[in-house]
């Protein structure tokens, strides 16, 4: 008896067959494309039956280099911070006590030398001066009249003496007044000292005039009033501060430096200084002869010119750069040329000529010791020497040392300017990219 197939089953079989054909078609197409694209390497064989591949040459890396030379010494630059200050600051007050009558200056005012800032009440002094002047004038008139009287009496006595000598009469030998006891004897008339107002001299008048002059508070130099401690009508004692004045137009900087550094500074020596964003060349004014107890530094004064001081005020922060020669042989290299090694050592890669010559070079690793770091470069010494390379100098890899290895063959892509001058550690170098100094 034959098995009868239903319609649903037949449809399912036809669908499976069609799906299988579609899958086989896509697989065959993908395989063909992969073979043509080289994804599937079927190992092409030449006509002789051997591989047709050739050995691949290693890629030569291009590196950036810098040229340097060995120097017997280098210039170390150290920066120290301080502040600006006015050369003269004074607490100004009257030299005698009194009551302040008028105040002419206020905080923030600019005053000039000889300008009157305040006055004391001088009414009593003026009355005393007038009284002394009147007394001295009166005394002078009395002296003149007495001189005239003495002169007239002398003339009368001379006339009487002439008349008596002509008549033969002799004057009394006692020298005393006629009919009275001689002076100094009991019963003699004693001189009477009159009691009256106190006497004055020219010295008293000069002292009063001096007090009147001291009643004016005068600015001793061109300055700015930074504080006022009294007002009109208030009493004041001698020496009590009324104003605080800060000198205007002049400025100096005080900076603390280590004791050993101060020995290298001489008065008048030029020094680079930075105030804010401005750079100046200033001079050493003085080195104070004592060590600060807290900071253990010596204070050094630097003088700014009037032109430079006009742009700044007391109290601003300054940075001073002090240069010092260090007698240690070595050479400058960029910090990017250094590779960290073990035991605190570093290394640089020197670019040396290959035996084949041409533009291909070979790298040699040399160990160095870092002696001083400044900005983006370092002063080092080690096994690398420029002996026999006086003209060309030492050529080292300036950057990208992580991409190279000892013995690697390279080409020079760029040569930076040489690091050959230890004196190049100036303010310009501090602001210049050290890979291209």
């Amino acid at each position: 008896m034959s098995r009868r197939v239903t319609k649903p089953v037949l449809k399912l079989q036809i669908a499976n067959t069609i799906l299988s054909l579609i899958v086989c078609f896509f697989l065959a197409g993908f395989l063909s494309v992969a073979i043509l694209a080289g994804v599937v390497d079927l190992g092409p064989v030449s006509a002789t039956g051997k591989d047709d591949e050739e050995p691949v040459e290693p890629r030569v890396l291009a590196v950036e280099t810098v040229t340097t030379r060995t120097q017997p010494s280098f210039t170390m630059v150290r920066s120290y911070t301080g502040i600006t200050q006015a050369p003269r600051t004074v607490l100004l007050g009257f030299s005698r006590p009194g009551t302040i009558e008028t105040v002419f200056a206020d905080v923030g005012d600019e005053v000039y030398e000889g300008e009157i800032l305040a006055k004391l009440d001088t009414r009593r002094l003026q009355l005393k001066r007038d009284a002394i002047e009147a007394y001295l004038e009166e005394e002078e008139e009395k002296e003149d009249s007495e001189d005239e009287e003495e002169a007239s009496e002398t003339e009368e006595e001379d006339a009487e003496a002439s008349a008596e000598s002509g008549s033969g009469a002799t004057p009394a030998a006692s020298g005393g007044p006629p009919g009275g006891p001689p002076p100094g004897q009991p019963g003699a008339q004693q001189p009477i000292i009159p009691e009256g107002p106190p006497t004055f001299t020219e010295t008293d008048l000069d002292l009063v005039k001096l007090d009147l002059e001291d009643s004016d508070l005068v600015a001793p130099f061109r300055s700015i009033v930074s504080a006022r401690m009294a007002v009109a009508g208030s009493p004041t004692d001698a020496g009590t501060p009324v104003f605080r004045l800060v000198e205007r137009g002049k400025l100096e900087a005080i900076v603390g430096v280590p004791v050993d550094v101060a020995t290298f500074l001489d008065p008048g020596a030029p020094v680079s200084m930075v105030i804010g964003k401005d750079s100046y060349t200033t001079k050493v004014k003085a080195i104070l002869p004592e060590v600060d107890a807290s900071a253990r530094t010596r204070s050094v004064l630097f003088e700014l010119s009037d032109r430079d001081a006009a742009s700044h005020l007391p109290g601003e922060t300054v940075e001073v750069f002090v240069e010092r020669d260090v007698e240690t042989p070595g050479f400058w290299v960029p910090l990017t040329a250094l590779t960290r090694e073990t035991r605190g050592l570093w290394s640089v890669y020197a670019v040396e000529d290959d035996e084949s010559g041409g533009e291909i070079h070979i790298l040699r690793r040399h160990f160095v010791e870092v002696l001083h770091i400044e900005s983006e470069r370092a002063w080092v010494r080690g096994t690398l020497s420029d002996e026999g390379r006086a003209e060309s100098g030492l050529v080292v890899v300036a950057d990208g040392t992580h991409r190279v290895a000892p013995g690697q063959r390279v080409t020079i892509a760029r040569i930076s300017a040489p690091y050959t001058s230890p004196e190049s550690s100036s303010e310009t170098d501090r602001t210049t990219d050290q890979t291209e100094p």
Side-chain angles (χ1 to χ4, degrees), residues 1-305:
M1 183 176 182
S2 61
R3 188 177 179 181
R4 190 175 181 181
V5 180
T6 61
K7 289 184 177 181
V9 174
L10 180 60
K11 290 181 179 180
L12 181 60
Q13 292 177 349
I14 294 174
N16 290 336
T17 303
I18 294 173
L19 182 60
S20 300
L21 292 175
I22 293 173
V23 172
C24 292
F25 175 77
F26 277 106
L27 288 176
F30 176 75
L31 184 60
S32 300
V33 173
I35 292 173
L36 294 176
V39 175
V40 179
D41 189 2
L42 298 180
V45 182
S46 62
T48 59
K50 299 180 179 180
D51 291 343
D52 202 16
E53 294 181 352
E54 296 181 358
V56 179
E57 292 287 339
R59 187 167 63 94
V60 179
L61 185 66
V63 294
E64 179 183 350
T65 62
V66 64
T67 303
T68 184
R69 288 185 174 87
T70 303
Q71 299 290 334
S73 63
F74 71 97
T75 301
M76 180 186 296
V77 180
R78 285 284 183 261
S79 63
Y80 304 98
T81 304
I83 60 172
T84 58
Q85 65 179 17
R88 292 184 289 182
T89 302
V90 62
L91 292 173
L92 192 64
F94 292 98
S95 60
R96 74 173 188 86
T99 302
I100 299 177
E101 181 181 37
T102 310
V103 176
F104 300 103
D106 203 352
V107 177
D109 292 346
E110 181 175 0
V111 297
Y112 294 87
E113 181 179 357
E115 182 177 347
I116 298 177
L117 308 182
K119 291 178 66 70
L120 291 177
D121 185 1
T122 58
R123 291 176 297 176
R124 293 180 181 274
L125 288 176
Q126 290 176 357
L127 292 175
K128 187 175 181 180
R129 179 196 60 188
D130 296 341
I132 294 176
E133 289 178 347
Y135 174 82
L136 294 177
E137 290 178 0
E138 183 179 354
E139 289 296 318
E140 185 177 359
E141 292 177 355
K142 287 182 178 180
E143 290 178 358
D144 294 341
S145 62
E146 289 177 356
D147 292 341
E148 293 177 357
E149 291 177 358
E150 289 179 359
S152 61
E153 290 177 357
T154 302
E155 291 177 356
E156 292 178 358
E157 290 177 354
D158 293 341
E160 292 177 357
S162 299
E164 291 177 355
S165 61
S167 61
T170 55
S174 63
Q185 298 296 327
Q189 185 178 1
Q190 301 295 329
I192 300 176
I193 301 176
E195 295 182 359
T199 59
F200 298 100
T201 62
E202 292 288 343
T203 303
D204 297 326
L205 181 61
D206 293 339
L207 290 176
V208 172
K209 290 181 178 180
L210 186 60
D211 286 341
L212 287 172
E213 293 178 1
D214 293 340
S215 299
D216 295 336
L217 193 59
V218 180
F221 47 81
R222 181 189 174 193
S223 54
I224 297 291
V225 180
S226 63
R228 178 171 60 86
M229 284 78 81
V231 296
S234 60
T236 182
D237 292 330
T240 301
V242 178
F243 296 99
R244 183 177 185 271
L245 304 181
V246 178
E247 187 173 12
R248 176 69 170 172
K250 294 186 180 296
L251 207 62
E252 63 184 14
I254 182 168
V255 180
V257 302
V259 177
D260 59 334
V261 175
T263 59
F264 292 93
L265 297 175
D266 297 322
V271 176
S272 298
M273 175 183 293
V274 174
I275 306 178
K277 297 181 180 180
D278 302 325
S279 300
Y280 305 102
T281 299
T282 182
K283 294 182 179 180
V284 178
K285 182 179 180 181
I287 303 175
L288 302 188
E290 57 185 357
V291 178
D292 185 87
S294 57
R296 308 307 301 170
T297 58
R298 289 187 66 179
S299 297
V300 182
L301 293 177
F302 299 91
E303 184 178 8
L304 277 75
S305 64

